[in-house]
Short mmCIF file of all heavy atoms in Angstrom, two decimals:
data_model
loop_
_atom_site.label_atom_id
_atom_site.label_comp_id
_atom_site.label_asym_id
_atom_site.label_seq_id
_atom_site.Cartn_x
_atom_site.Cartn_y
_atom_site.Cartn_z
N MET A 234 11.25 -3.62 4.95
CA MET A 234 10.53 -2.39 4.65
C MET A 234 9.08 -2.43 5.11
O MET A 234 8.43 -1.40 5.23
CB MET A 234 10.64 -2.08 3.16
CG MET A 234 12.09 -1.80 2.75
SD MET A 234 12.32 -1.47 1.00
CE MET A 234 11.71 0.22 0.92
N SER A 235 8.57 -3.63 5.38
CA SER A 235 7.25 -3.74 6.00
C SER A 235 7.27 -3.07 7.37
O SER A 235 6.32 -2.38 7.76
CB SER A 235 6.83 -5.20 6.14
OG SER A 235 6.63 -5.80 4.89
N SER A 236 8.35 -3.28 8.10
CA SER A 236 8.50 -2.65 9.41
C SER A 236 8.72 -1.15 9.27
O SER A 236 8.14 -0.36 10.01
CB SER A 236 9.69 -3.28 10.15
OG SER A 236 9.93 -2.61 11.37
N TRP A 237 9.51 -0.74 8.30
CA TRP A 237 9.79 0.68 8.11
C TRP A 237 8.53 1.49 7.82
O TRP A 237 8.31 2.56 8.37
CB TRP A 237 10.73 0.89 6.93
CG TRP A 237 12.11 0.39 7.08
CD1 TRP A 237 12.64 -0.34 8.12
CD2 TRP A 237 13.19 0.56 6.14
NE1 TRP A 237 13.95 -0.63 7.88
CE2 TRP A 237 14.32 -0.09 6.68
CE3 TRP A 237 13.28 1.19 4.91
CZ2 TRP A 237 15.53 -0.12 6.01
CZ3 TRP A 237 14.49 1.15 4.24
CH2 TRP A 237 15.61 0.51 4.79
N ASN A 238 7.71 0.97 6.90
CA ASN A 238 6.64 1.78 6.31
C ASN A 238 5.24 1.52 6.83
O ASN A 238 4.31 2.25 6.48
CB ASN A 238 6.64 1.59 4.78
CG ASN A 238 7.86 2.22 4.13
OD1 ASN A 238 8.39 3.21 4.62
ND2 ASN A 238 8.31 1.65 3.02
N PHE A 239 5.07 0.50 7.65
CA PHE A 239 3.73 0.14 8.12
C PHE A 239 3.10 1.30 8.89
O PHE A 239 3.62 1.79 9.87
CB PHE A 239 3.82 -1.10 9.03
CG PHE A 239 2.48 -1.66 9.42
CD1 PHE A 239 1.75 -2.42 8.53
CD2 PHE A 239 1.95 -1.42 10.68
CE1 PHE A 239 0.51 -2.94 8.89
CE2 PHE A 239 0.72 -1.94 11.05
CZ PHE A 239 0.00 -2.71 10.15
N GLY A 240 1.95 1.75 8.39
CA GLY A 240 1.18 2.78 9.10
C GLY A 240 1.82 4.15 9.13
O GLY A 240 1.46 4.96 10.00
N ASN A 241 2.73 4.46 8.21
CA ASN A 241 3.36 5.78 8.25
C ASN A 241 2.33 6.88 7.98
O ASN A 241 1.22 6.60 7.51
CB ASN A 241 4.55 5.85 7.29
CG ASN A 241 4.16 5.72 5.84
OD1 ASN A 241 3.35 6.47 5.33
ND2 ASN A 241 4.73 4.74 5.15
N PRO A 242 2.66 8.15 8.26
CA PRO A 242 1.66 9.22 8.17
C PRO A 242 0.98 9.35 6.82
O PRO A 242 -0.24 9.57 6.75
CB PRO A 242 2.48 10.48 8.51
CG PRO A 242 3.58 9.99 9.37
CD PRO A 242 3.94 8.62 8.84
N ALA A 243 1.73 9.24 5.73
CA ALA A 243 1.12 9.40 4.41
C ALA A 243 0.13 8.29 4.11
O ALA A 243 -0.98 8.54 3.63
CB ALA A 243 2.21 9.45 3.33
N VAL A 244 0.51 7.05 4.40
CA VAL A 244 -0.40 5.92 4.16
C VAL A 244 -1.61 5.98 5.09
O VAL A 244 -2.73 5.66 4.68
CB VAL A 244 0.35 4.58 4.32
CG1 VAL A 244 -0.62 3.41 4.27
CG2 VAL A 244 1.40 4.43 3.22
N ALA A 245 -1.39 6.40 6.32
CA ALA A 245 -2.51 6.53 7.26
C ALA A 245 -3.52 7.55 6.75
O ALA A 245 -4.74 7.34 6.82
CB ALA A 245 -1.98 6.94 8.64
N ASP A 246 -3.03 8.67 6.22
CA ASP A 246 -3.93 9.69 5.70
C ASP A 246 -4.64 9.20 4.44
O ASP A 246 -5.84 9.44 4.25
CB ASP A 246 -3.16 10.98 5.40
CG ASP A 246 -4.07 12.11 4.98
OD1 ASP A 246 -4.76 12.65 5.87
OD2 ASP A 246 -4.13 12.44 3.78
N GLU A 247 -3.91 8.49 3.58
CA GLU A 247 -4.52 7.94 2.36
C GLU A 247 -5.65 6.97 2.73
O GLU A 247 -6.72 6.97 2.11
CB GLU A 247 -3.46 7.24 1.52
CG GLU A 247 -3.99 6.70 0.21
CD GLU A 247 -2.94 5.96 -0.59
OE1 GLU A 247 -1.79 5.82 -0.10
OE2 GLU A 247 -3.26 5.51 -1.71
N THR A 248 -5.40 6.14 3.74
CA THR A 248 -6.41 5.19 4.19
C THR A 248 -7.65 5.91 4.72
O THR A 248 -8.79 5.54 4.41
CB THR A 248 -5.84 4.28 5.29
OG1 THR A 248 -4.66 3.62 4.80
CG2 THR A 248 -6.85 3.24 5.73
N ALA A 249 -7.42 6.96 5.49
CA ALA A 249 -8.53 7.72 6.07
C ALA A 249 -9.35 8.44 5.01
O ALA A 249 -10.52 8.77 5.24
CB ALA A 249 -7.99 8.72 7.09
N ARG A 250 -8.76 8.69 3.83
CA ARG A 250 -9.44 9.45 2.78
C ARG A 250 -10.06 8.57 1.70
O ARG A 250 -10.51 9.10 0.67
CB ARG A 250 -8.45 10.43 2.14
CG ARG A 250 -8.05 11.56 3.04
CD ARG A 250 -7.08 12.54 2.38
NE ARG A 250 -6.66 13.52 3.36
CZ ARG A 250 -7.35 14.62 3.67
NH1 ARG A 250 -8.48 14.89 3.03
NH2 ARG A 250 -6.92 15.45 4.59
N ILE A 251 -10.12 7.28 1.90
CA ILE A 251 -10.70 6.41 0.87
C ILE A 251 -12.12 6.84 0.53
O ILE A 251 -12.49 6.97 -0.65
CB ILE A 251 -10.66 4.94 1.32
CG1 ILE A 251 -9.22 4.43 1.34
CG2 ILE A 251 -11.51 4.07 0.41
CD1 ILE A 251 -9.07 3.01 1.86
N ALA A 252 -12.94 7.08 1.54
CA ALA A 252 -14.33 7.47 1.29
C ALA A 252 -14.40 8.81 0.58
O ALA A 252 -15.23 9.01 -0.33
CB ALA A 252 -15.11 7.51 2.60
N ASN A 253 -13.55 9.76 0.98
CA ASN A 253 -13.54 11.08 0.34
C ASN A 253 -13.13 10.97 -1.12
O ASN A 253 -13.73 11.61 -2.00
CB ASN A 253 -12.57 12.01 1.07
CG ASN A 253 -12.88 12.14 2.54
OD1 ASN A 253 -12.55 11.25 3.32
ND2 ASN A 253 -13.52 13.22 2.94
N ASN A 254 -12.09 10.19 -1.38
CA ASN A 254 -11.61 10.03 -2.76
C ASN A 254 -12.62 9.31 -3.63
O ASN A 254 -12.76 9.61 -4.83
CB ASN A 254 -10.27 9.30 -2.76
CG ASN A 254 -9.13 10.18 -2.27
OD1 ASN A 254 -9.22 11.41 -2.30
ND2 ASN A 254 -8.04 9.56 -1.82
N ALA A 255 -13.33 8.35 -3.04
CA ALA A 255 -14.38 7.66 -3.79
C ALA A 255 -15.51 8.62 -4.13
O ALA A 255 -16.03 8.64 -5.26
CB ALA A 255 -14.91 6.48 -2.98
N ALA A 256 -15.89 9.45 -3.16
CA ALA A 256 -16.96 10.42 -3.38
C ALA A 256 -16.60 11.43 -4.46
O ALA A 256 -17.44 11.86 -5.26
CB ALA A 256 -17.29 11.15 -2.08
N ALA A 257 -15.31 11.81 -4.51
CA ALA A 257 -14.87 12.78 -5.51
C ALA A 257 -14.95 12.22 -6.93
O ALA A 257 -14.95 12.98 -7.91
CB ALA A 257 -13.43 13.21 -5.21
N LEU A 258 -15.06 10.90 -7.06
CA LEU A 258 -15.09 10.26 -8.37
C LEU A 258 -16.49 9.77 -8.75
O LEU A 258 -16.64 9.06 -9.76
CB LEU A 258 -14.11 9.08 -8.41
CG LEU A 258 -12.63 9.47 -8.33
CD1 LEU A 258 -11.77 8.24 -8.08
CD2 LEU A 258 -12.18 10.18 -9.59
N ARG A 259 -17.49 10.14 -7.98
CA ARG A 259 -18.85 9.73 -8.32
C ARG A 259 -19.24 10.29 -9.69
O ARG A 259 -19.12 11.48 -9.96
CB ARG A 259 -19.83 10.25 -7.28
CG ARG A 259 -19.75 9.54 -5.93
CD ARG A 259 -20.62 10.22 -4.91
NE ARG A 259 -20.49 9.62 -3.58
CZ ARG A 259 -20.91 10.19 -2.46
NH1 ARG A 259 -21.48 11.38 -2.50
NH2 ARG A 259 -20.75 9.57 -1.30
N GLY A 260 -19.70 9.40 -10.55
CA GLY A 260 -20.14 9.82 -11.88
C GLY A 260 -19.01 10.01 -12.88
O GLY A 260 -19.26 10.30 -14.05
N VAL A 261 -17.76 9.86 -12.45
CA VAL A 261 -16.62 10.03 -13.34
C VAL A 261 -16.37 8.73 -14.10
O VAL A 261 -16.37 7.65 -13.51
CB VAL A 261 -15.35 10.45 -12.57
CG1 VAL A 261 -14.15 10.56 -13.51
CG2 VAL A 261 -15.57 11.77 -11.84
N THR A 262 -16.16 8.83 -15.41
CA THR A 262 -15.85 7.67 -16.22
C THR A 262 -14.57 7.95 -17.01
O THR A 262 -14.10 9.09 -17.09
CB THR A 262 -16.98 7.35 -17.20
OG1 THR A 262 -17.17 8.47 -18.09
CG2 THR A 262 -18.28 7.07 -16.46
N TYR A 263 -14.02 6.91 -17.60
CA TYR A 263 -12.86 7.10 -18.46
C TYR A 263 -13.30 7.78 -19.76
O TYR A 263 -14.45 7.60 -20.21
CB TYR A 263 -12.21 5.75 -18.78
CG TYR A 263 -11.39 5.19 -17.65
CD1 TYR A 263 -11.85 4.11 -16.90
CD2 TYR A 263 -10.15 5.73 -17.33
CE1 TYR A 263 -11.10 3.59 -15.86
CE2 TYR A 263 -9.39 5.22 -16.30
CZ TYR A 263 -9.87 4.15 -15.56
OH TYR A 263 -9.12 3.65 -14.52
N PRO A 264 -12.41 8.56 -20.37
CA PRO A 264 -12.73 9.14 -21.67
C PRO A 264 -13.12 8.04 -22.67
O PRO A 264 -12.55 6.95 -22.67
CB PRO A 264 -11.43 9.83 -22.08
CG PRO A 264 -10.76 10.17 -20.78
CD PRO A 264 -11.09 9.01 -19.87
N ASP A 265 -14.08 8.34 -23.52
CA ASP A 265 -14.61 7.34 -24.45
C ASP A 265 -13.53 6.71 -25.32
O ASP A 265 -13.60 5.51 -25.63
CB ASP A 265 -15.66 7.98 -25.37
CG ASP A 265 -16.87 8.50 -24.62
OD1 ASP A 265 -16.93 8.31 -23.40
OD2 ASP A 265 -17.76 9.09 -25.27
N ASP A 266 -12.55 7.50 -25.72
CA ASP A 266 -11.56 7.03 -26.68
C ASP A 266 -10.29 6.47 -26.05
O ASP A 266 -9.31 6.19 -26.74
CB ASP A 266 -11.18 8.16 -27.64
CG ASP A 266 -10.52 9.34 -26.91
OD1 ASP A 266 -10.69 9.44 -25.66
OD2 ASP A 266 -9.85 10.16 -27.58
N LEU A 267 -10.29 6.28 -24.73
CA LEU A 267 -9.10 5.78 -24.04
C LEU A 267 -9.19 4.27 -23.85
O LEU A 267 -10.07 3.78 -23.12
CB LEU A 267 -8.95 6.46 -22.67
CG LEU A 267 -7.75 6.02 -21.83
CD1 LEU A 267 -6.43 6.38 -22.52
CD2 LEU A 267 -7.80 6.65 -20.44
N PRO A 268 -8.32 3.48 -24.46
CA PRO A 268 -8.37 2.03 -24.28
C PRO A 268 -8.11 1.64 -22.81
O PRO A 268 -7.19 2.16 -22.18
CB PRO A 268 -7.24 1.52 -25.19
CG PRO A 268 -7.01 2.62 -26.18
CD PRO A 268 -7.27 3.90 -25.42
N VAL A 269 -8.90 0.71 -22.30
CA VAL A 269 -8.76 0.27 -20.91
C VAL A 269 -8.81 -1.26 -20.84
O VAL A 269 -9.75 -1.88 -21.34
CB VAL A 269 -9.86 0.85 -20.01
CG1 VAL A 269 -9.69 0.36 -18.56
CG2 VAL A 269 -9.85 2.38 -20.05
N LEU A 270 -7.77 -1.83 -20.23
CA LEU A 270 -7.71 -3.27 -19.96
C LEU A 270 -7.83 -3.46 -18.45
O LEU A 270 -7.04 -2.91 -17.69
CB LEU A 270 -6.39 -3.85 -20.46
CG LEU A 270 -6.04 -5.29 -20.04
CD1 LEU A 270 -7.08 -6.27 -20.56
CD2 LEU A 270 -4.64 -5.67 -20.53
N ALA A 271 -8.83 -4.23 -18.03
CA ALA A 271 -9.08 -4.43 -16.60
C ALA A 271 -8.88 -5.90 -16.23
O ALA A 271 -9.69 -6.75 -16.62
CB ALA A 271 -10.48 -3.97 -16.22
N PHE A 272 -7.80 -6.19 -15.50
CA PHE A 272 -7.60 -7.53 -14.96
C PHE A 272 -8.43 -7.67 -13.68
O PHE A 272 -8.40 -6.78 -12.81
CB PHE A 272 -6.14 -7.78 -14.62
CG PHE A 272 -5.23 -7.86 -15.81
CD1 PHE A 272 -4.28 -6.87 -16.05
CD2 PHE A 272 -5.31 -8.94 -16.69
CE1 PHE A 272 -3.43 -6.95 -17.14
CE2 PHE A 272 -4.46 -9.03 -17.80
CZ PHE A 272 -3.52 -8.02 -18.02
N ILE A 273 -9.14 -8.77 -13.56
CA ILE A 273 -9.95 -9.05 -12.37
C ILE A 273 -9.44 -10.31 -11.71
O ILE A 273 -9.27 -11.35 -12.37
CB ILE A 273 -11.44 -9.24 -12.73
CG1 ILE A 273 -11.99 -8.01 -13.47
CG2 ILE A 273 -12.25 -9.54 -11.48
CD1 ILE A 273 -12.00 -6.74 -12.66
N ALA A 274 -9.17 -10.24 -10.40
CA ALA A 274 -8.71 -11.42 -9.67
C ALA A 274 -9.89 -12.36 -9.42
O ALA A 274 -10.85 -11.98 -8.74
CB ALA A 274 -8.08 -11.00 -8.35
N ASP A 275 -9.81 -13.55 -9.98
CA ASP A 275 -10.83 -14.57 -9.78
C ASP A 275 -10.38 -15.47 -8.64
O ASP A 275 -9.54 -16.35 -8.82
CB ASP A 275 -11.02 -15.37 -11.07
CG ASP A 275 -12.09 -16.44 -10.93
OD1 ASP A 275 -12.68 -16.58 -9.84
OD2 ASP A 275 -12.34 -17.16 -11.93
N GLU A 276 -10.93 -15.24 -7.46
CA GLU A 276 -10.56 -16.02 -6.28
C GLU A 276 -11.52 -17.17 -6.01
O GLU A 276 -11.54 -17.73 -4.92
CB GLU A 276 -10.47 -15.09 -5.07
CG GLU A 276 -9.45 -13.97 -5.26
CD GLU A 276 -9.31 -13.07 -4.04
OE1 GLU A 276 -8.86 -13.59 -2.99
OE2 GLU A 276 -9.63 -11.89 -4.15
N GLY A 277 -12.34 -17.51 -7.02
CA GLY A 277 -13.21 -18.66 -6.90
C GLY A 277 -14.42 -18.44 -6.00
O GLY A 277 -14.93 -19.40 -5.43
#
Side-chain angles (χ1 to χ4, degrees):
M234 296 178 76
S235 294
S236 175
W237 292 6
N238 290 330
F239 187 78
N241 65 56
V244 171
D246 186 73
E247 183 182 3
T248 304
R250 290 180 185 276
I251 290 176
N253 304 79
N254 287 338
L258 292 168
R259 288 173 184 165
V261 177
T262 61
Y263 284 106
D265 297 356
D266 62 341
L267 179 64
V269 180
L270 170 61
F272 292 112
I273 303 296
D275 181 359
E276 301 182 64

